[in-house]
Amino acid sequence: MKKQNKIILGLTGGLGSGKTTVARIFKSLGAQVIDADKLAHACLKKGSNVYQKIISVFGTRILLSNSNIDRKKLGSIVFNNCKMLRKLNSIIHPEVIRMMTDDISSSRARVVVLDVPLLIEAGLEKIADKIVVVNASRANQVERVFRKSKIKREEILKRIRCQMPLSKKAKLADFVIDNNGGLKETRRQVKQIWRRMWKS
Ligand code: ATP
């Protein structure tokens, strides 16, 4: 992609590490951001292929009275069972990847940021020119997600434990952002990546 004067940045990191915050800073510098979570929500739409497959695996117990998928219920099942979470991801990921590649090819931005929590787990690092991993301590992850969502702390920890350890992700990274400090410090690191990413 870089050859065509375009850079695809794969942005990833653990739950509540600060991906959206970092993506927002990249956007303020001129990047287009593609948010995998938003695409994943869109592909759960009633009647879609993904919708049908999810019902065939999880049953109609995960439906609301209006037949839409109850994402809270689905979450409570999969976050208590990493195997079921992997199953759910194997249904959703191919569709999200399809939507994402369409969005990338139609984008006219010079820098496209893919905000994908499971970038590496989904094999999406292959379509990125550079990988950016956002890192935050587990204590900060739990505290920030708790403040944002009010999900119980032990529930947050369960979700974090289902994810690939950050240390493993960081090994594949071209850039690692330490988001343990204040936003000013994070902004400084993002700007540094913005300057450096064309050079290598
Ligand atoms: P998720 O995995 O839930 O999608 P995320 O990785 O996208 O989360 P954010 O939503 O960016 O993470 O950040 C989680 C919360 O922590 C947000 O409320 C955000 O405002 C806050 N936050 C992010 N970075 C910092 C920081 N450096 N200092 C203080 N608060 C922060």
Side-chain angles (χ1 to χ4, degrees), residues 122-133:
L124 265 169
E125 79 277 9
K126 293 183 207 85
I127 65 169
D129 298 306
K130 299 279 173 199
I131 311 271
V132 181
V133 171

Side-chain angles (χ1 to χ4, degrees), residues 18-116:
K19 299 173 294 295
T20 309
T21 304
V22 167
R24 218 174 282 135
I25 302 171
F26 274 118
K27 191 170 177 203
S28 75
L29 296 173
Q32 179 185 341
V33 176
I34 301 177
D35 182 332
D37 277 346
K38 277 198 190 138
L39 297 180
H41 293 174
C43 74
L44 296 181
K45 220 173 46 211
K46 200 170 16 183
S48 68
N49 267 342
V50 168
Y51 174 93
Q52 300 296 357
K53 280 187 197 161
I54 289 176
I55 293 173
S56 71
V57 172
F58 294 91
T60 49
R61 67 190 164 134
I62 50 109
L63 293 181
L64 292 162
S65 54
N66 62 8
S67 303
N68 283 322
I69 289 175
D70 184 344
R71 290 199 285 116
K72 265 201 180 144
K73 186 96 180 267
L74 192 55
S76 70
I77 297 171
V78 298
F79 290 118
N80 277 303
N81 185 336
C82 296
K83 201 171 145 205
M84 289 309 264
L85 177 61
R86 278 196 293 275
K87 179 80 196 157
L88 177 65
N89 286 338
S90 74
I91 298 172
I92 296 178
H93 284 166
E95 187 57 23
V96 170
I97 292 172
R98 235 187 318 275
M99 291 160 107
M100 205 164 245
T101 24
D102 282 354
D103 284 356
I104 293 171
S105 15
S106 59
S107 169
R108 302 183 66 180
R110 283 191 78 204
V111 181
V112 178
V113 172
L114 309 177
D115 178 354
V116 194

Side-chain angles (χ1 to χ4, degrees), residues 140 142 187:
N140 271 336
V142 172
R187 210 171 290 123

Side-chain angles (χ1 to χ4, degrees), residues 3-22:
K3 287 176 219 88
Q4 299 155 2
N5 230 3
K6 195 182 207 178
I7 285 195
I8 311 295
L9 283 185
L11 177 65
T12 193
L15 183 74
S17 57
K19 299 173 294 295
T20 309
T21 304
V22 167

